[in-house]
PDB file of all heavy atoms in Angstrom:
ATOM      1  N   GLN F1717      -2.521  62.742 107.138  1.00 77.00           N
ATOM      2  CA  GLN F1717      -1.630  63.737 107.724  1.00 77.00           C
ATOM      3  C   GLN F1717      -1.838  63.895 109.226  1.00 77.00           C
ATOM      4  O   GLN F1717      -0.871  64.026 109.986  1.00 77.00           O
ATOM      5  CB  GLN F1717      -1.835  65.085 107.011  1.00 77.00           C
ATOM      6  CG  GLN F1717      -1.336  65.086 105.579  1.00 77.00           C
ATOM      7  CD  GLN F1717      -1.826  66.273 104.780  1.00 77.00           C
ATOM      8  OE1 GLN F1717      -2.724  66.995 105.188  1.00 77.00           O
ATOM      9  NE2 GLN F1717      -1.238  66.475 103.615  1.00 77.00           N
ATOM     10  N   LEU F1718      -3.095  63.871 109.668  1.00 78.00           N
ATOM     11  CA  LEU F1718      -3.374  64.095 111.084  1.00 78.00           C
ATOM     12  C   LEU F1718      -3.055  62.884 111.955  1.00 78.00           C
ATOM     13  O   LEU F1718      -2.762  63.039 113.143  1.00 78.00           O
ATOM     14  CB  LEU F1718      -4.851  64.482 111.279  1.00 78.00           C
ATOM     15  CG  LEU F1718      -5.207  65.953 111.117  1.00 78.00           C
ATOM     16  CD1 LEU F1718      -6.715  66.158 111.282  1.00 78.00           C
ATOM     17  CD2 LEU F1718      -4.455  66.822 112.124  1.00 78.00           C
ATOM     18  N   ASN F1719      -3.114  61.695 111.392  1.00 77.00           N
ATOM     19  CA  ASN F1719      -2.957  60.487 112.194  1.00 77.00           C
ATOM     20  C   ASN F1719      -1.624  59.779 111.987  1.00 77.00           C
ATOM     21  O   ASN F1719      -1.450  58.641 112.414  1.00 77.00           O
ATOM     22  CB  ASN F1719      -4.115  59.522 111.895  1.00 77.00           C
ATOM     23  CG  ASN F1719      -5.445  60.073 112.361  1.00 77.00           C
ATOM     24  OD1 ASN F1719      -5.766  60.043 113.537  1.00 77.00           O
ATOM     25  ND2 ASN F1719      -6.221  60.613 111.428  1.00 77.00           N
ATOM     26  N   THR F1720      -0.688  60.488 111.342  1.00 78.00           N
ATOM     27  CA  THR F1720       0.644  59.927 111.142  1.00 78.00           C
ATOM     28  C   THR F1720       1.658  60.764 111.910  1.00 78.00           C
ATOM     29  O   THR F1720       1.662  61.991 111.783  1.00 78.00           O
ATOM     30  CB  THR F1720       1.012  59.945 109.639  1.00 78.00           C
ATOM     31  OG1 THR F1720       0.009  59.254 108.898  1.00 78.00           O
ATOM     32  CG2 THR F1720       2.351  59.268 109.415  1.00 78.00           C
ATOM     33  N   PRO F1721       2.530  60.144 112.706  1.00 77.00           N
ATOM     34  CA  PRO F1721       3.588  60.904 113.387  1.00 77.00           C
ATOM     35  C   PRO F1721       4.440  61.660 112.382  1.00 77.00           C
ATOM     36  O   PRO F1721       4.701  61.166 111.279  1.00 77.00           O
ATOM     37  CB  PRO F1721       4.400  59.819 114.109  1.00 77.00           C
ATOM     38  CG  PRO F1721       3.480  58.649 114.210  1.00 77.00           C
ATOM     39  CD  PRO F1721       2.594  58.703 113.007  1.00 77.00           C
ATOM     40  N   ASN F1722       4.880  62.864 112.742  1.00 74.00           N
ATOM     41  CA  ASN F1722       5.621  63.710 111.817  1.00 74.00           C
ATOM     42  C   ASN F1722       6.847  63.004 111.243  1.00 74.00           C
ATOM     43  O   ASN F1722       7.171  63.148 110.063  1.00 74.00           O
ATOM     44  CB  ASN F1722       6.045  65.006 112.518  1.00 74.00           C
ATOM     45  CG  ASN F1722       6.697  65.983 111.556  1.00 74.00           C
ATOM     46  OD1 ASN F1722       6.216  66.191 110.443  1.00 74.00           O
ATOM     47  ND2 ASN F1722       7.805  66.570 111.969  1.00 74.00           N
ATOM     48  N   GLU F1723       7.529  62.199 112.085  1.00 74.00           N
ATOM     49  CA  GLU F1723       8.748  61.545 111.620  1.00 74.00           C
ATOM     50  C   GLU F1723       8.481  60.428 110.615  1.00 74.00           C
ATOM     51  O   GLU F1723       9.393  59.898 109.998  1.00 74.00           O
ATOM     52  CB  GLU F1723       9.532  60.973 112.806  1.00 74.00           C
ATOM     53  CG  GLU F1723       8.805  59.908 113.604  1.00 74.00           C
ATOM     54  CD  GLU F1723       7.986  60.480 114.746  1.00 74.00           C
ATOM     55  OE1 GLU F1723       7.780  61.722 114.762  1.00 74.00           O
ATOM     56  OE2 GLU F1723       7.558  59.699 115.610  1.00 74.00           O
ATOM     57  N   MET F1724       7.175  60.065 110.408  1.00 75.00           N
ATOM     58  CA  MET F1724       6.828  59.009 109.453  1.00 75.00           C
ATOM     59  C   MET F1724       6.001  59.509 108.280  1.00 75.00           C
ATOM     60  O   MET F1724       5.649  58.730 107.396  1.00 75.00           O
ATOM     61  CB  MET F1724       6.043  57.894 110.164  1.00 75.00           C
ATOM     62  CG  MET F1724       6.887  56.991 111.033  1.00 75.00           C
ATOM     63  SD  MET F1724       5.933  55.557 111.571  1.00 75.00           S
ATOM     64  CE  MET F1724       5.536  54.789 110.009  1.00 75.00           C
ATOM     65  N   ARG F1725       5.697  60.791 108.250  1.00 76.00           N
ATOM     66  CA  ARG F1725       4.768  61.303 107.227  1.00 76.00           C
ATOM     67  C   ARG F1725       5.281  61.087 105.817  1.00 76.00           C
ATOM     68  O   ARG F1725       4.506  60.858 104.890  1.00 76.00           O
ATOM     69  CB  ARG F1725       4.482  62.785 107.470  1.00 76.00           C
ATOM     70  CG  ARG F1725       3.476  63.038 108.589  1.00 76.00           C
ATOM     71  CD  ARG F1725       2.866  64.421 108.505  1.00 76.00           C
ATOM     72  NE  ARG F1725       1.948  64.633 109.623  1.00 76.00           N
ATOM     73  CZ  ARG F1725       2.169  65.472 110.622  1.00 76.00           C
ATOM     74  NH1 ARG F1725       3.286  66.182 110.642  1.00 76.00           N
ATOM     75  NH2 ARG F1725       1.296  65.612 111.600  1.00 76.00           N
ATOM     76  N   GLY F1726       6.591  61.180 105.620  1.00 76.00           N
ATOM     77  CA  GLY F1726       7.132  60.972 104.281  1.00 76.00           C
ATOM     78  C   GLY F1726       6.887  59.567 103.777  1.00 76.00           C
ATOM     79  O   GLY F1726       6.444  59.365 102.649  1.00 76.00           O
ATOM     80  N   ARG F1727       7.161  58.563 104.632  1.00 77.00           N
ATOM     81  CA  ARG F1727       6.984  57.168 104.226  1.00 77.00           C
ATOM     82  C   ARG F1727       5.514  56.841 103.976  1.00 77.00           C
ATOM     83  O   ARG F1727       5.175  56.168 102.997  1.00 77.00           O
ATOM     84  CB  ARG F1727       7.557  56.241 105.307  1.00 77.00           C
ATOM     85  CG  ARG F1727       9.064  56.093 105.249  1.00 77.00           C
ATOM     86  CD  ARG F1727       9.636  55.528 106.523  1.00 77.00           C
ATOM     87  NE  ARG F1727       9.674  56.548 107.574  1.00 77.00           N
ATOM     88  CZ  ARG F1727      10.095  56.332 108.808  1.00 77.00           C
ATOM     89  NH1 ARG F1727      10.511  55.125 109.157  1.00 77.00           N
ATOM     90  NH2 ARG F1727      10.117  57.306 109.688  1.00 77.00           N
ATOM     91  N   VAL F1728       4.634  57.338 104.838  1.00 78.00           N
ATOM     92  CA  VAL F1728       3.207  57.055 104.678  1.00 78.00           C
ATOM     93  C   VAL F1728       2.654  57.802 103.462  1.00 78.00           C
ATOM     94  O   VAL F1728       1.841  57.259 102.700  1.00 78.00           O
ATOM     95  CB  VAL F1728       2.435  57.426 105.958  1.00 78.00           C
ATOM     96  CG1 VAL F1728       0.933  57.267 105.749  1.00 78.00           C
ATOM     97  CG2 VAL F1728       2.900  56.544 107.123  1.00 78.00           C
ATOM     98  N   SER F1729       3.098  59.041 103.243  1.00 75.00           N
ATOM     99  CA  SER F1729       2.660  59.794 102.066  1.00 75.00           C
ATOM    100  C   SER F1729       3.121  59.110 100.779  1.00 75.00           C
ATOM    101  O   SER F1729       2.412  59.133  99.764  1.00 75.00           O
ATOM    102  CB  SER F1729       3.196  61.228 102.107  1.00 75.00           C
ATOM    103  OG  SER F1729       2.615  61.966 103.155  1.00 75.00           O
TER     104      SER F1729
END
Side-chain angles (χ1 to χ4, degrees):
Q1717 291 166 347
L1718 275 178
N1719 294 282
T1720 304
N1722 186 44
E1723 62 270 13
M1724 285 190 61
R1725 282 199 182 111
R1727 280 163 284 178
V1728 174
S1729 293

